[in-house]
Amino acid sequence: MNPFDSTLQRSFPTLMVPTREPVAPMAAAGERLLVAGNGVFLEILRPWLRIIRRISSYAVSTAIPYGVVEEATELLCGRVPPELIRTFAEQARAACPNETGAWIVWHPETKAFRLVRVVVLSLDRASLRYDRPQLADGEVLVADCHSHGHFAAGFSHQDDEDDVFDVKFAVVLGRCNTAQMDVALRLCAKGIFERSNNIPASWLDAVGDTNDYAAT
Ligand SMILES: [Zn+2]
């Protein structure tokens, strides 16, 4: 095969799922396609995350002599520390009515999380353009956070465009001028967007203002 396609296919292989043994685990970070008896699945491995999602089903009920795959999610980095969400909430409150952004990154060897401010290229009350921040060797992006100023948290068409190629959590804080900000959270994985309806209680607590608005 020509060198271009052979490199491309090595970087994104397709596996036929065996019926009598599990698929061999991925040896390194990347993506692969699993052709199974119950559909076509995308498997993504990153130092902090492993997921398998069905991306296609068969339109015809023909016999596919392959094994069955189940969707899976393994958060290899563990829980994202709510303290970092709190620090970002303070940044969002200070920036309001403008938008602001930060990344929560993780190091697979030290297991340490940290919050890194993004380098803002341009901003106004409805949009934010930024450069990807410089990370230390080995550090990986886990959560891409931005704020919506006075507006509600949620994912705009622009957010969808920005998030389509990444593998990350996307976190949006909205109504940043209020005592209890809105939080929107989704998992983004190469075009798969999974909005979470269960924001961790520790995060909701973290975005509450420590100043007692009710008393003023
Ligand atoms: Zn947004």
Side-chain angles (χ1 to χ4, degrees):
M1 191 186 298
N2 68 80
F4 178 82
D5 280 309
S6 112
T7 305
L8 200 63
Q9 293 185 8
R10 267 202 308 277
S11 77
F12 192 160
T14 296
L15 260 81
M16 292 173 272
V17 175
T19 58
R20 282 147 206 252
E21 61 184 71
V23 184
M26 293 175 74
E31 293 97 44
R32 67 184 181 183
L33 215 52
L34 305 173
V35 181
N38 57 332
V40 177
F41 292 76
L42 176 63
E43 180 172 12
I44 299 174
L45 179 66
R46 292 289 182 274
W48 65 279
L49 177 77
R50 176 178 167 264
I51 67 161
I52 299 178
R53 292 291 185 272
R54 178 154 52 195
I55 57 168
S56 182
S57 301
Y58 300 115
V60 171
S61 59
T62 186
I64 306 287
Y66 300 151
V68 166
V69 167
E70 279 180 27
E71 295 194 337
T73 308
E74 279 179 73
L75 193 58
L76 306 170
C77 63
R79 196 175 70 110
V80 172
E83 303 81 65
L84 297 184
I85 300 294
R86 184 183 305 277
T87 307
F88 180 64
E90 284 161 9
Q91 180 184 326
R93 200 180 299 281
C96 187
N98 288 324
E99 299 199 352
T100 187
W103 278 14
I104 294 173
V105 301
W106 181 72
H107 201 294
E109 275 157 35
T110 63
K111 314 286 181 210
F113 285 93
R114 71 184 178 104
L115 187 78
V116 193
R117 261 180 187 262
V118 300
V119 181
V120 173
L121 300 175
S122 70
L123 87 172
D124 57 38
R125 292 181 179 205
S127 72
L128 175 73
R129 307 305 314 163
Y130 61 83
D131 240 352
R132 298 171 88 84
Q134 194 74 41
L135 302 187
D137 243 9
E139 270 184 336
V140 289
L141 165 65
V142 171
D144 185 342
C145 311
H146 74 277
S147 66
H148 277 179
H150 288 149
F151 301 108
F155 296 98
S156 62
H157 183 65
Q158 185 63 52
D159 291 332
D160 288 350
E161 275 183 22
D162 293 342
D163 291 346
V164 75
F165 296 115
D166 288 324
V167 179
K168 65 186 181 186
F169 285 115
V171 179
V172 180
L173 301 185
R175 302 191 206 281
C176 303
N177 56 323
T178 66
Q180 186 66 43
M181 296 185 197
D182 284 352
V183 186
L185 167 68
R186 71 179 175 185
L187 178 66
C188 310
K190 299 271 163 185
I192 298 165
F193 294 134
E194 290 178 2
R195 179 91 180 246
S196 171
N197 294 317
N198 293 308
I199 308 293
S202 57
W203 287 27
L204 293 175
D205 184 50
V207 302
D209 196 340
T210 44
N211 297 317
D212 189 358
Y213 272 61
T216 59

